[in-house]
Amino acid sequence: MISDKFGESGSHTQQRRLPSLLALRCFEAAARLENFSRAADELHVTHGAVSRAVRLLEEDLGLALFERRSRRVYLTADGRMLAHAVSQGLDLMRDAVAELRARARQNQRWVLSCEPTLLMRWLIPRWGDFQARYPQHTVHLVAGGGAVEWGRGIDLAIRRNDFDCGRNVQMQLLCAERMGPVCHPDRLTQFFASQSDGGLALRGDATLLHSTTRPKAWEDWWKTRPNQPSAQIRQAQAGVGLVLEHFYLSLQAAAAGLGVAMGPQLLVQDDIAAGRLVAPLGFVPDGSHYCLLAVERWGAGSVQQLLADWIEQQMKS
Protein backbone atom coordinates (compact mmCIF):
# COMPACT_ATOMS: atom_id res chain seq x y z
CA MET A 1 0.00 0.00 0.00
CA ILE A 2 1.28 3.44 -0.91
CA SER A 3 0.67 6.17 1.68
CA ASP A 4 -0.12 9.72 0.62
CA LYS A 5 1.61 11.05 3.75
CA PHE A 6 5.25 12.11 3.96
CA GLY A 7 5.91 9.69 6.80
CA GLU A 8 3.91 7.08 8.64
CA SER A 9 3.20 7.40 12.35
CA GLY A 10 6.04 5.85 14.33
CA SER A 11 8.53 6.09 11.45
CA HIS A 12 12.01 7.49 12.08
CA THR A 13 11.23 10.53 9.94
CA GLN A 14 8.05 11.25 11.86
CA GLN A 15 9.84 10.91 15.21
CA ARG A 16 12.51 13.44 14.17
CA ARG A 17 9.97 16.03 13.03
CA LEU A 18 9.93 19.17 15.18
CA PRO A 19 6.64 20.50 16.50
CA SER A 20 5.57 24.05 15.70
CA LEU A 21 8.18 26.56 16.88
CA LEU A 22 5.37 28.88 17.96
CA ALA A 23 3.96 26.09 20.11
CA LEU A 24 7.38 25.46 21.61
CA ARG A 25 7.77 29.17 22.45
CA CYS A 26 4.39 29.21 24.17
CA PHE A 27 5.26 26.03 26.04
CA GLU A 28 8.66 27.38 27.17
CA ALA A 29 7.14 30.60 28.52
CA ALA A 30 4.36 28.73 30.30
CA ALA A 31 6.83 26.23 31.76
CA ARG A 32 9.18 28.96 32.97
CA LEU A 33 6.42 31.12 34.46
CA GLU A 34 4.13 28.21 35.51
CA ASN A 35 1.21 30.32 34.39
CA PHE A 36 -0.55 30.51 31.03
CA SER A 37 -1.81 34.08 31.55
CA ARG A 38 1.65 35.47 32.40
CA ALA A 39 3.11 33.58 29.43
CA ALA A 40 0.46 35.16 27.21
CA ASP A 41 1.33 38.64 28.51
CA GLU A 42 5.04 38.06 27.85
CA LEU A 43 4.41 36.84 24.30
CA HIS A 44 1.74 39.49 23.59
CA VAL A 45 -0.91 36.90 22.73
CA THR A 46 -4.12 35.80 24.43
CA HIS A 47 -4.43 33.23 27.22
CA GLY A 48 -6.44 31.07 24.85
CA ALA A 49 -3.67 31.12 22.24
CA VAL A 50 -1.12 29.80 24.76
CA SER A 51 -3.55 27.15 26.03
CA ARG A 52 -4.32 25.95 22.49
CA ALA A 53 -0.64 25.88 21.53
CA VAL A 54 0.27 23.77 24.54
CA ARG A 55 -2.71 21.43 23.97
CA LEU A 56 -1.72 20.90 20.32
CA LEU A 57 1.87 20.26 21.39
CA GLU A 58 0.72 17.62 23.88
CA GLU A 59 -1.46 16.01 21.20
CA ASP A 60 1.47 16.03 18.77
CA LEU A 61 3.76 14.34 21.29
CA GLY A 62 1.12 12.08 22.75
CA LEU A 63 2.15 13.07 26.27
CA ALA A 64 0.89 15.35 29.02
CA LEU A 65 3.37 18.16 29.66
CA PHE A 66 1.46 19.90 32.47
CA GLU A 67 -0.66 18.90 35.41
CA ARG A 68 -3.52 21.38 35.63
CA ARG A 69 -4.65 22.08 39.16
CA SER A 70 -7.20 24.79 39.71
CA ARG A 71 -5.71 27.95 38.09
CA ARG A 72 -2.09 26.78 38.20
CA VAL A 73 -0.10 24.41 36.03
CA TYR A 74 2.82 22.18 36.98
CA LEU A 75 5.28 20.45 34.70
CA THR A 76 5.22 16.70 34.46
CA ALA A 77 8.49 14.76 34.29
CA ASP A 78 8.17 14.74 30.48
CA GLY A 79 7.40 18.44 30.54
CA ARG A 80 10.53 19.19 32.58
CA MET A 81 12.66 17.26 30.08
CA LEU A 82 11.22 19.18 27.13
CA ALA A 83 11.35 22.53 28.94
CA HIS A 84 15.07 22.08 29.64
CA ALA A 85 15.83 21.24 26.00
CA VAL A 86 13.67 24.03 24.56
CA SER A 87 15.17 26.60 26.95
CA GLN A 88 18.70 25.62 25.91
CA GLY A 89 17.75 25.78 22.24
CA LEU A 90 16.17 29.23 22.56
CA ASP A 91 19.21 30.49 24.47
CA LEU A 92 21.47 29.30 21.64
CA MET A 93 19.27 31.08 19.11
CA ARG A 94 19.22 34.29 21.18
CA ASP A 95 23.00 34.25 21.49
CA ALA A 96 23.42 33.74 17.75
CA VAL A 97 20.94 36.51 16.90
CA ALA A 98 22.63 38.91 19.34
CA GLU A 99 26.03 38.20 17.77
CA LEU A 100 24.71 38.69 14.26
CA ARG A 101 23.03 41.96 15.22
CA ALA A 102 26.28 43.15 16.80
CA ARG A 103 28.14 42.31 13.57
CA ALA A 104 25.53 44.18 11.56
CA ARG A 105 25.93 47.26 13.77
CA GLN A 106 29.69 47.10 13.31
CA ASN A 107 29.23 47.14 9.54
CA GLN A 108 26.45 49.73 9.54
CA ARG A 109 26.98 52.98 7.71
CA TRP A 110 26.06 55.87 9.98
CA VAL A 111 25.01 59.29 8.68
CA LEU A 112 25.93 62.32 10.79
CA SER A 113 24.29 65.66 9.99
CA CYS A 114 26.19 68.72 11.16
CA GLU A 115 25.61 72.48 10.96
CA PRO A 116 27.43 73.65 7.81
CA THR A 117 29.81 76.16 9.45
CA LEU A 118 30.75 73.74 12.22
CA LEU A 119 31.21 70.96 9.64
CA MET A 120 33.48 72.98 7.35
CA ARG A 121 35.50 74.98 9.84
CA TRP A 122 35.83 72.57 12.75
CA LEU A 123 34.70 68.97 12.22
CA ILE A 124 36.23 68.14 8.83
CA PRO A 125 39.74 69.37 9.77
CA ARG A 126 39.65 66.98 12.76
CA TRP A 127 37.76 64.08 11.20
CA GLY A 128 40.88 62.15 10.25
CA ASP A 129 41.59 61.59 13.94
CA PHE A 130 38.21 59.92 14.48
CA GLN A 131 38.71 57.69 11.43
CA ALA A 132 42.18 56.69 12.63
CA ARG A 133 40.86 55.79 16.09
CA TYR A 134 37.77 53.92 14.95
CA PRO A 135 38.40 52.51 11.46
CA GLN A 136 35.74 49.82 12.05
CA HIS A 137 32.97 52.43 11.93
CA THR A 138 31.80 54.10 8.73
CA VAL A 139 30.30 57.54 9.37
CA HIS A 140 29.18 59.73 6.47
CA LEU A 141 29.08 63.49 7.05
CA VAL A 142 26.33 65.69 5.62
CA ALA A 143 25.60 69.39 6.10
CA GLY A 144 22.31 70.39 7.68
CA GLY A 145 20.91 72.98 10.07
CA GLY A 146 17.84 73.51 12.19
CA ALA A 147 15.29 70.78 12.83
CA VAL A 148 16.54 67.32 11.81
CA GLU A 149 14.56 65.36 9.22
CA TRP A 150 15.12 61.94 10.79
CA GLY A 151 13.03 60.15 8.18
CA ARG A 152 15.59 60.93 5.45
CA GLY A 153 18.32 58.56 6.58
CA ILE A 154 19.92 60.72 9.29
CA ASP A 155 21.16 58.68 12.27
CA LEU A 156 22.93 61.38 14.28
CA ALA A 157 23.07 65.17 14.25
CA ILE A 158 25.13 67.95 15.81
CA ARG A 159 23.11 71.08 16.49
CA ARG A 160 22.96 74.02 18.85
CA ASN A 161 20.01 73.66 21.22
CA ASP A 162 18.41 76.94 20.16
CA PHE A 163 15.24 75.20 18.89
CA ASP A 164 12.88 72.44 20.03
CA CYS A 165 14.57 69.16 19.13
CA GLY A 166 11.47 67.05 19.78
CA ARG A 167 10.20 65.07 22.74
CA ASN A 168 11.55 61.66 21.68
CA VAL A 169 15.02 62.82 20.58
CA GLN A 170 18.00 61.73 22.67
CA MET A 171 20.43 64.55 23.45
CA GLN A 172 23.93 64.77 24.90
CA LEU A 173 25.43 68.19 25.61
CA LEU A 174 28.90 68.63 24.12
CA CYS A 175 30.04 72.16 24.95
CA ALA A 176 28.73 75.68 25.55
CA GLU A 177 28.67 78.21 22.72
CA ARG A 178 30.96 81.20 23.36
CA MET A 179 30.77 84.25 21.09
CA GLY A 180 32.90 87.34 20.43
CA PRO A 181 33.77 89.88 17.70
CA VAL A 182 36.53 88.82 15.29
CA CYS A 183 38.33 90.62 12.49
CA HIS A 184 41.48 90.47 10.40
CA PRO A 185 44.59 91.43 12.44
CA ASP A 186 45.47 94.22 10.00
CA ARG A 187 42.03 95.83 10.56
CA LEU A 188 42.20 95.86 14.34
CA THR A 189 42.89 99.59 14.72
CA GLN A 190 40.30 100.45 12.07
CA PHE A 191 37.49 98.64 13.86
CA PHE A 192 38.53 98.90 17.54
CA ALA A 193 39.58 101.91 19.65
CA SER A 194 41.88 101.96 22.68
CA GLN A 195 40.30 102.72 26.05
CA SER A 196 41.74 104.63 29.01
CA ASP A 197 41.91 101.41 31.00
CA GLY A 198 44.13 99.84 28.35
CA GLY A 199 41.38 97.74 26.83
CA LEU A 200 39.69 97.94 23.45
CA ALA A 201 36.15 98.84 22.39
CA LEU A 202 34.33 98.39 19.11
CA ARG A 203 34.21 101.64 17.17
CA GLY A 204 30.79 103.07 16.42
CA ASP A 205 31.56 103.22 12.70
CA ALA A 206 32.95 99.68 12.46
CA THR A 207 31.43 97.60 9.68
CA LEU A 208 29.43 94.79 11.27
CA LEU A 209 29.08 91.55 9.35
CA HIS A 210 25.72 89.80 9.69
CA SER A 211 24.26 86.54 8.37
CA THR A 212 20.70 85.55 7.59
CA THR A 213 21.17 82.14 9.25
CA ARG A 214 22.04 83.69 12.65
CA PRO A 215 20.48 87.14 12.38
CA LYS A 216 20.48 87.90 16.13
CA ALA A 217 24.11 86.99 16.81
CA TRP A 218 25.20 90.61 17.31
CA GLU A 219 22.09 91.56 19.24
CA ASP A 220 22.52 88.62 21.64
CA TRP A 221 26.18 89.50 22.18
CA TRP A 222 25.38 93.14 22.99
CA LYS A 223 23.02 91.93 25.72
CA THR A 224 26.02 90.41 27.52
CA ARG A 225 27.70 93.86 27.63
CA PRO A 226 25.28 96.15 29.52
CA ASN A 227 27.64 99.17 29.51
CA GLN A 228 27.81 99.49 25.73
CA PRO A 229 26.32 102.60 24.03
CA SER A 230 22.65 102.19 23.08
CA ALA A 231 23.42 103.47 19.58
CA GLN A 232 25.59 100.45 18.88
CA ILE A 233 22.89 98.13 20.21
CA ARG A 234 20.37 99.73 17.87
CA GLN A 235 22.88 99.40 15.04
CA ALA A 236 23.19 95.67 15.72
CA GLN A 237 19.40 95.27 15.95
CA ALA A 238 18.90 97.06 12.65
CA GLY A 239 21.46 94.88 10.91
CA VAL A 240 23.53 97.88 9.79
CA GLY A 241 26.64 96.77 7.90
CA LEU A 242 27.15 93.94 5.45
CA VAL A 243 24.60 91.11 5.44
CA LEU A 244 25.60 87.72 4.00
CA GLU A 245 23.46 84.66 3.43
CA HIS A 246 25.34 82.11 5.55
CA PHE A 247 27.17 82.37 8.84
CA TYR A 248 30.39 80.90 7.45
CA LEU A 249 30.40 83.64 4.79
CA SER A 250 30.45 86.33 7.49
CA LEU A 251 33.51 84.67 9.04
CA GLN A 252 35.16 84.46 5.63
CA ALA A 253 34.41 88.14 5.04
CA ALA A 254 36.01 88.98 8.40
CA ALA A 255 39.14 87.05 7.44
CA ALA A 256 39.19 89.05 4.19
CA GLY A 257 39.19 92.32 6.16
CA LEU A 258 35.68 93.43 5.16
CA GLY A 259 34.43 94.03 8.68
CA VAL A 260 33.85 92.55 12.14
CA ALA A 261 31.95 89.29 12.43
CA MET A 262 30.38 87.70 15.48
CA GLY A 263 32.44 84.54 15.81
CA PRO A 264 31.87 81.42 17.91
CA GLN A 265 35.10 80.54 19.70
CA LEU A 266 34.86 76.93 18.54
CA LEU A 267 34.63 77.92 14.88
CA VAL A 268 37.34 80.59 14.81
CA GLN A 269 39.96 79.09 17.10
CA ASP A 270 41.90 77.59 14.17
CA ASP A 271 41.86 80.94 12.31
CA ILE A 272 43.07 82.74 15.43
CA ALA A 273 45.87 80.22 15.92
CA ALA A 274 46.88 80.66 12.26
CA GLY A 275 46.82 84.46 12.49
CA ARG A 276 43.92 84.93 10.08
CA LEU A 277 41.62 86.41 12.74
CA VAL A 278 41.86 88.10 16.13
CA ALA A 279 39.29 88.29 18.93
CA PRO A 280 40.23 91.51 20.77
CA LEU A 281 37.31 91.38 23.24
CA GLY A 282 37.42 87.65 23.96
CA PHE A 283 34.40 85.36 24.09
CA VAL A 284 31.36 85.07 26.35
CA PRO A 285 28.69 82.31 26.63
CA ASP A 286 25.49 83.04 24.74
CA GLY A 287 23.40 80.49 26.64
CA SER A 288 23.25 77.79 23.96
CA HIS A 289 25.13 74.50 23.71
CA TYR A 290 26.28 72.18 20.95
CA CYS A 291 24.56 68.79 21.29
CA LEU A 292 24.68 65.34 19.74
CA LEU A 293 21.16 64.21 18.81
CA ALA A 294 19.69 60.82 17.89
CA VAL A 295 16.27 59.22 17.83
CA GLU A 296 17.52 55.97 19.39
CA ARG A 297 19.03 55.51 22.82
CA TRP A 298 22.66 54.52 22.82
CA GLY A 299 24.84 52.72 25.34
CA ALA A 300 28.47 52.50 26.36
CA GLY A 301 30.74 51.31 23.55
CA SER A 302 28.25 52.16 20.80
CA VAL A 303 29.36 54.24 17.84
CA GLN A 304 27.11 57.03 19.12
CA GLN A 305 28.86 57.12 22.49
CA LEU A 306 32.31 56.84 20.90
CA LEU A 307 31.45 59.77 18.66
CA ALA A 308 30.01 61.83 21.52
CA ASP A 309 33.08 61.24 23.70
CA TRP A 310 35.44 62.04 20.82
CA ILE A 311 33.64 65.28 19.90
CA GLU A 312 33.50 66.39 23.53
CA GLN A 313 37.23 65.71 23.91
CA GLN A 314 38.04 67.61 20.72
CA MET A 315 35.91 70.57 21.73
CA LYS A 316 37.70 70.84 25.07
CA SER A 317 41.21 70.52 23.63
Side-chain angles (χ1 to χ4, degrees), residues 18-33 39 42-43 57 81-99 101:
L18 277 175
S20 159
L21 292 180
L22 176 60
L24 290 174
R25 280 194 68 201
C26 290
F27 164 74
E28 187 276 335
R32 174 166 39 83
L33 299 171
E42 180 179 291
L43 298 174
L57 181 60
M81 174 184 173
L82 182 61
H84 178 70
V86 173
S87 177
Q88 285 188 321
L90 289 177
D91 284 343
L92 285 172
M93 286 188 282
R94 291 188 187 100
D95 290 343
V97 168
E99 182 177 347
R101 284 175 174 164

Coordinates of all heavy atoms in Angstrom, one line a residue, residues 18-33 39 42-43 57 81-99 101:
L18 N 10.1 18.2 14.1 CA 9.9 19.2 15.2 C 8.5 19.7 15.2 O 7.9 19.9 14.2 CB 10.9 20.4 15.0 CG 12.3 20.2 15.5 CD1 13.1 21.5 15.1 CD2 12.3 20.0 17.0
P19 N 8.0 19.9 16.4 CA 6.6 20.5 16.5 C 6.7 22.0 16.1 O 7.8 22.5 15.8 CB 6.3 20.4 18.0 CG 7.3 19.4 18.6 CD 8.5 19.5 17.7
S20 N 5.6 22.6 16.0 CA 5.6 24.1 15.7 C 6.5 24.9 16.6 O 6.4 24.7 17.9 CB 4.1 24.6 15.8 OG 4.1 26.0 16.0
L21 N 7.3 25.7 16.1 CA 8.2 26.6 16.9 C 7.4 27.5 17.7 O 7.8 27.9 18.8 CB 9.2 27.3 16.0 CG 10.2 26.4 15.3 CD1 11.2 27.3 14.5 CD2 11.0 25.7 16.3
L22 N 6.2 28.0 17.2 CA 5.4 28.9 18.0 C 4.8 28.1 19.2 O 4.8 28.7 20.3 CB 4.2 29.4 17.1 CG 3.2 30.2 17.8 CD1 3.8 31.5 18.4 CD2 2.0 30.6 16.8
A23 N 4.4 26.9 19.0 CA 4.0 26.1 20.1 C 5.1 25.9 21.1 O 4.8 25.9 22.4 CB 3.4 24.7 19.6
L24 N 6.3 25.6 20.7 CA 7.4 25.5 21.6 C 7.7 26.7 22.4 O 8.0 26.7 23.6 CB 8.6 25.0 20.8 CG 8.6 23.6 20.3 CD1 9.8 23.3 19.4 CD2 8.5 22.6 21.4
R25 N 7.6 27.9 21.7 CA 7.8 29.2 22.4 C 6.7 29.4 23.5 O 7.0 29.8 24.6 CB 7.7 30.3 21.5 CG 9.0 30.6 20.7 CD 9.0 31.9 20.0 NE 9.0 33.0 21.0 CZ 8.7 34.2 20.8 NH1 8.1 34.6 19.6 NH2 8.8 35.2 21.7
C26 N 5.5 29.1 23.2 CA 4.4 29.2 24.2 C 4.6 28.2 25.3 O 4.4 28.6 26.5 CB 3.0 28.9 23.5 SG 2.5 30.2 22.3
F27 N 5.0 27.0 25.0 CA 5.3 26.0 26.0 C 6.4 26.5 26.9 O 6.3 26.4 28.2 CB 5.6 24.7 25.4 CG 6.2 23.7 26.4 CD1 5.5 23.1 27.4 CD2 7.6 23.4 26.3 CE1 6.1 22.2 28.3 CE2 8.2 22.6 27.2 CZ 7.5 22.0 28.2
E28 N 7.5 27.0 26.4 CA 8.7 27.4 27.2 C 8.3 28.5 28.1 O 8.7 28.5 29.3 CB 9.8 27.8 26.2 CG 11.1 28.1 26.9 CD 11.2 29.5 27.5 OE1 10.5 30.4 27.0 OE2 12.0 29.7 28.5
A29 N 7.5 29.5 27.6 CA 7.1 30.6 28.5 C 6.2 30.1 29.6 O 6.4 30.5 30.8 CB 6.5 31.7 27.7
A30 N 5.3 29.2 29.3 CA 4.4 28.7 30.3 C 5.1 27.9 31.3 O 4.8 27.9 32.5 CB 3.2 27.9 29.6
A31 N 6.1 27.1 30.8 CA 6.8 26.2 31.8 C 7.7 27.1 32.7 O 7.8 26.8 33.9 CB 7.7 25.3 31.0
R32 N 8.3 28.1 32.2 CA 9.2 29.0 33.0 C 8.4 29.8 34.0 O 8.8 30.0 35.1 CB 10.0 29.9 32.0 CG 10.8 30.9 32.7 CD 11.8 31.5 31.7 NE 11.3 31.7 30.4 CZ 10.6 32.8 30.1 NH1 10.3 33.7 31.0 NH2 10.1 32.9 28.8
L33 N 7.2 30.3 33.6 CA 6.4 31.1 34.5 C 5.4 30.3 35.3 O 4.8 30.9 36.2 CB 5.7 32.2 33.6 CG 6.7 33.1 32.8 CD1 5.9 34.0 31.9 CD2 7.4 34.0 33.8
A39 N 2.4 33.9 30.7 CA 3.1 33.6 29.4 C 2.5 34.3 28.3 O 3.2 34.8 27.4 CB 3.0 32.1 29.2
E42 N 3.6 37.9 28.3 CA 5.0 38.1 27.9 C 5.1 38.0 26.3 O 5.9 38.7 25.7 CB 5.9 37.0 28.5 CG 7.4 37.0 28.1 CD 8.2 36.0 28.8 OE1 8.4 36.1 30.0 OE2 8.7 35.0 28.1
L43 N 4.4 37.1 25.7 CA 4.4 36.8 24.3 C 3.5 37.7 23.5 O 3.4 37.7 22.3 CB 4.1 35.4 24.0 CG 5.0 34.3 24.6 CD1 4.5 32.9 24.4 CD2 6.4 34.5 24.0
L57 N 0.5 20.9 21.2 CA 1.9 20.3 21.4 C 1.8 18.9 22.1 O 2.4 17.9 21.8 CB 2.8 21.2 22.2 CG 4.2 20.8 22.4 CD1 4.9 20.5 21.1 CD2 4.9 21.8 23.3
M81 N 11.6 17.6 31.1 CA 12.7 17.3 30.1 C 12.6 18.2 28.8 O 13.6 18.7 28.4 CB 12.5 15.8 29.7 CG 13.4 15.3 28.6 SD 13.0 13.6 28.1 CE 14.1 13.4 26.7
L82 N 11.4 18.4 28.3 CA 11.2 19.2 27.1 C 11.5 20.6 27.4 O 12.2 21.3 26.6 CB 9.8 19.0 26.6 CG 9.5 19.8 25.3 CD1 10.4 19.4 24.2 CD2 8.1 19.7 24.9
A83 N 11.1 21.1 28.6 CA 11.3 22.5 28.9 C 12.8 22.8 29.0 O 13.3 23.9 28.6 CB 10.7 22.9 30.3
H84 N 13.6 21.9 29.6 CA 15.1 22.1 29.6 C 15.7 22.2 28.2 O 16.5 23.1 28.0 CB 15.7 20.9 30.4 CG 17.2 21.0 30.5 ND1 17.8 21.9 31.3 CD2 18.2 20.2 29.9 CE1 19.1 21.8 31.2 NE2 19.4 20.7 30.4
A85 N 15.3 21.3 27.4 CA 15.8 21.2 26.0 C 15.4 22.5 25.2 O 16.3 23.1 24.5 CB 15.4 20.0 25.3
V86 N 14.1 22.9 25.3 CA 13.7 24.0 24.6 C 14.3 25.3 25.1 O 14.7 26.2 24.3 CB 12.1 24.2 24.7 CG1 11.7 25.5 24.0 CG2 11.5 23.0 24.0
S87 N 14.5 25.4 26.4 CA 15.2 26.6 26.9 C 16.6 26.7 26.4 O 17.1 27.8 26.1 CB 15.2 26.5 28.5 OG 15.8 27.6 29.0
Q88 N 17.3 25.6 26.4 CA 18.7 25.6 25.9 C 18.7 26.0 24.4 O 19.6 26.8 24.0 CB 19.3 24.2 26.1 CG 19.8 23.9 27.5 CD 20.6 22.7 27.6 OE1 20.3 21.7 26.9 NE2 21.6 22.7 28.5
G89 N 17.8 25.5 23.7 CA 17.7 25.8 22.2 C 17.4 27.2 22.0 O 18.1 27.9 21.1
L90 N 16.5 27.8 22.7 CA 16.2 29.2 22.6 C 17.3 30.1 23.0 O 17.6 31.2 22.4 CB 14.9 29.6 23.4 CG 13.6 29.0 22.8 CD1 12.4 29.3 23.8 CD2 13.3 29.5 21.4
D91 N 18.0 29.7 24.0 CA 19.2 30.5 24.5 C 20.3 30.5 23.4 O 20.9 31.5 23.1 CB 19.8 29.9 25.8 CG 19.0 30.3 27.0 OD1 18.1 31.2 26.9 OD2 19.1 29.6 28.0
L92 N 20.5 29.4 22.7 CA 21.5 29.3 21.6 C 21.1 30.2 20.5 O 21.9 30.9 19.9 CB 21.6 27.9 21.1 CG 22.4 26.9 22.0 CD1 22.3 25.5 21.5 CD2 23.9 27.3 22.1
M93 N 19.8 30.2 20.2 CA 19.3 31.1 19.1 C 19.4 32.6 19.5 O 19.8 33.4 18.7 CB 17.8 30.7 18.8 CG 17.7 29.4 18.0 SD 16.0 29.2 17.4 CE 15.2 28.6 18.9
R94 N 19.1 32.9 20.7 CA 19.2 34.3 21.2 C 20.7 34.8 21.1 O 20.9 35.9 20.7 CB 18.7 34.4 22.6 CG 17.2 34.3 22.7 CD 16.7 34.6 24.1 NE 15.3 34.3 24.3 CZ 14.9 33.3 25.0 NH1 15.7 32.4 25.5 NH2 13.6 33.1 25.1
D95 N 21.6 33.9 21.5 CA 23.0 34.3 21.5 C 23.5 34.5 20.0 O 24.2 35.4 19.8 CB 23.9 33.2 22.1 CG 23.7 33.1 23.7 OD1 23.1 34.1 24.2 OD2 24.0 32.1 24.2
A96 N 23.0 33.6 19.2 CA 23.4 33.7 17.8 C 22.8 35.0 17.1 O 23.5 35.7 16.4 CB 23.0 32.5 17.0
V97 N 21.6 35.3 17.4 CA 20.9 36.5 16.9 C 21.6 37.8 17.4 O 21.9 38.7 16.7 CB 19.4 36.5 17.2 CG1 18.8 37.9 17.0 CG2 18.7 35.4 16.4
A98 N 21.9 37.8 18.8 CA 22.6 38.9 19.3 C 24.0 39.1 18.7 O 24.4 40.3 18.4 CB 22.8 38.7 20.8
E99 N 24.7 38.1 18.4 CA 26.0 38.2 17.8 C 25.9 38.7 16.4 O 26.7 39.6 15.9 CB 26.8 36.9 17.8 CG 28.1 36.9 17.2 CD 28.9 35.6 17.2 OE1 28.4 34.7 17.9 OE2 29.9 35.5 16.6
R101 N 23.4 40.6 15.2 CA 23.0 42.0 15.2 C 24.2 42.9 15.6 O 24.3 44.0 15.0 CB 21.9 42.1 16.3 CG 20.6 41.6 15.8 CD 19.5 41.7 16.8 NE 18.2 41.4 16.3 CZ 17.2 41.1 17.0 NH1 17.3 41.0 18.4 NH2 16.0 40.8 16.5

